[in-house]
Structures are given as structure tokens and as C-alpha cells.
Amino acid sequence: VLSTPALNGILSSPFEVKITPNGNYAYVTNQIGTISIIDIRPSSPTFNTLVATTVGVNAQPQGIDFTPSGLRAYVTDSTTSSVTVININPTDPTLNTVSAPVALSGVFNGPNDVAVTAEESYAYVTNFLGASGSTSSVSAIDINPLSPTFNTVLNTPGLVSTDPITRYVTLTITPNAQFV
């Protein structure tokens, strides 16, 4: 384990860590409403230090995943039951800001995790409490910018738990996007 004294005390209730597709940065969701961005490039003068923080992105960010192109991050918020899209395009002047306050609040219930398909067509979200509040479910968001239903939640039959005790917390997608 490498020592990271520069990171001590900057994270507050961290929930999840994801590495950007280019391998340059780690994004850490902090359950206090921020996302910490850490430079993980060993040759960088800011290696293992906090280089940016997003503020006001979510009330309680939890799950995070990136589009493989490295342009957008999808972040779940269990407190507001929403998903936020953050611009992570390093060449864009609005880097690390909300790129679209996606009209996705109200359709989730306690979302925990998010996973983006390799071809950037869908983002799947676990709903800890489920759409009805009593059963857990998985929602699919159309994340293809060329689609007429871009950034909308699609019907996900068969992805609702029939057991009121079961709670979906995390998920992963096969590389061929055939299974969640």
C-alpha cells in the first residue's frame, strides 16, 4: 500500500472510487455532496493529490461510472433519488460540471450503483428501494446522444425483484453488454 499523506482528511464519507477511462484520475463519491478528483498519473507533479472537487452535484452521491469515451460520468444520488451527468471531457472548459441535469429524478428510488455499457448505449442503475418503494429494481437509461430517447429511463421488464426483502445494491455488465 502506498502512503498518500496528501489525501488524508480530504475525503468525507467516501462511497465509491472509479478510475477514468484514460487512467489519469480517480473520482471518489463523498456522501456529503461532493466528488473528489485525484490525479493518479505517477509522472505528474500533482500525483496522488486532490486536483478538483465538484460541489452541489448531488446531495449524497454514491455510485459513479464513466462512458468509455471519457466524456461523461453518471452519478447516482440516493437522497434525491436521481442520476446526474457530469462532463468529464478534459478538453471542455466546463470540465467536472453538471453537463445536463438529466430529467431523471422521481423515477428512481434510492439508487445506489450505476454501470455504463461498453458501446455507450445504456446506463443501468440499481434502485435499492425499487420503483414502488417495497421491491428493488434495476433501471436502464438511454445514454446514446444520437437516440431520440437520450437520457430517459426505459421500460425494464424482468428487472424488478419479486422478493420484498431483496435489495439490489451493485451491478456489473458483461463486456459484450449481453447481461447485467
Side-chain angles (χ1 to χ4, degrees), residues 12-34:
S12 183
S13 298
F15 189 82
E16 186 169 25
V17 177
K18 284 284 174 99
I19 308 298
T20 56
N22 63 11
N24 291 338
Y25 298 95
Y27 279 59
V28 182
T29 58
N30 298 298
Q31 292 189 57
I32 56 147
T34 63

Side-chain angles (χ1 to χ4, degrees), residues 138-162:
V138 176
S139 298
I141 305 168
D142 177 352
I143 63 167
N144 179 351
L146 302 177
S147 171
T149 57
F150 175 59
N151 278 345
T152 59
V153 177
L154 306 172
N155 186 12
T156 55
L159 294 177
V160 176
S161 170
T162 57

Side-chain angles (χ1 to χ4, degrees), residues 125-177:
V125 177
T126 59
N127 292 293
F128 184 75
L129 299 175
S132 69
S134 63
T135 57
S136 195
S137 66
V138 176
S139 298
I141 305 168
D142 177 352
I143 63 167
N144 179 351
L146 302 177
S147 171
T149 57
F150 175 59
N151 278 345
T152 59
V153 177
L154 306 172
N155 186 12
T156 55
L159 294 177
V160 176
S161 170
T162 57
D163 179 0
I165 298 173
T166 299
R167 297 288 184 230
Y168 299 140
V169 177
T170 190
L171 59 103
T172 192
I173 301 170
T174 57
N176 64 3

Side-chain angles (χ1 to χ4, degrees), residues 2-180:
L2 296 174
S3 174
T4 55
L7 299 177
N8 291 340
I10 66 161
L11 305 176
S12 183
S13 298
F15 189 82
E16 186 169 25
V17 177
K18 284 284 174 99
I19 308 298
T20 56
N22 63 11
N24 291 338
Y25 298 95
Y27 279 59
V28 182
T29 58
N30 298 298
Q31 292 189 57
I32 56 147
T34 63
I35 298 171
S36 299
I37 299 134
I38 301 163
D39 184 348
I40 60 170
R41 299 170 295 166
S43 61
S44 171
T46 58
F47 175 61
N48 267 356
T49 61
L50 179 73
V51 292
T53 303
T54 62
V55 179
V57 173
N58 298 75
Q60 189 175 9
Q62 291 190 336
I64 185 170
D65 202 11
F66 304 109
T67 56
S69 63
L71 299 178
R72 295 182 309 278
Y74 286 79
V75 183
T76 63
D77 184 342
S78 65
T79 300
T80 62
S81 287
S82 63
V83 174
T84 302
V85 183
I86 300 172
N87 174 11
I88 63 164
N89 180 351
T91 63
D92 193 312
T94 62
L95 173 67
N96 294 324
T97 62
V98 175
S99 65
V102 184
L104 295 176
S105 79
V107 296
F108 301 105
N109 199 350
N112 276 67
D113 199 14
V114 59
V116 174
T117 58
E119 82 288 353
E120 297 189 25
S121 295
Y122 303 102
Y124 289 92
V125 177
T126 59
N127 292 293
F128 184 75
L129 299 175
S132 69
S134 63
T135 57
S136 195
S137 66
V138 176
S139 298
I141 305 168
D142 177 352
I143 63 167
N144 179 351
L146 302 177
S147 171
T149 57
F150 175 59
N151 278 345
T152 59
V153 177
L154 306 172
N155 186 12
T156 55
L159 294 177
V160 176
S161 170
T162 57
D163 179 0
I165 298 173
T166 299
R167 297 288 184 230
Y168 299 140
V169 177
T170 190
L171 59 103
T172 192
I173 301 170
T174 57
N176 64 3
Q178 294 297 310
F179 301 98
V180 177

